[in-house]
Amino acid sequence: QYVEIAGSRYAHIVDSHTGLGLTNRCSATVIAPDCITADSVATALCVLGPAKAIEFIEPQPELAAMITSADPAVGSIESSRFKRFVAGESPSPER
């Protein structure tokens, strides 16, 4: 879901700051109470970038997320609540 123009890769997610498709390759997995919230928040997190995405997610107790960047220097980052949804991880006492 991207197009290459003059050697640059533009995603189908539009950056509201530039009006162009994102050029940073990113994916977001969001756990939310419903699908429409998860989908819209995942899109917003990709636009925000990993650091600001986690700042956005942490104060919202109904959300958990993992953001992965194609940039090896960034890698993946998870919100504090995401681990309880990962298979094999011990659930935290927080509910």
Side-chain angles (χ1 to χ4, degrees), residues 3-10:
V3 64
E4 275 192 43
I5 301 172
S8 292
R9 185 176 180 158
Y10 297 92

Side-chain angles (χ1 to χ4, degrees), residues 31-35 37-38 62-63:
I31 309 295
D34 55 73
C35 296
T37 301
E62 73 281 7
L63 300 176

Side-chain angles (χ1 to χ4, degrees), residues 16-78:
S16 58
H17 298 102
T18 65
L20 299 172
L22 294 179
T23 55
N24 60 318
R25 292 175 56 199
C26 161
S27 68
T29 301
V30 176
I31 309 295
D34 55 73
C35 296
I36 195 149
T37 301
D39 186 51
S40 57
V41 169
T43 299
L45 297 183
C46 286
V47 173
L48 287 171
K52 287 184 180 178
I54 294 299
E55 283 180 32
F56 175 81
I57 288 290
E58 287 298 342
Q60 301 186 57
E62 73 281 7
L63 300 176
M66 178 177 69
I67 302 94
T68 303
S69 172
D71 180 350
V74 177
S76 292
I77 187 168
E78 298 175 352

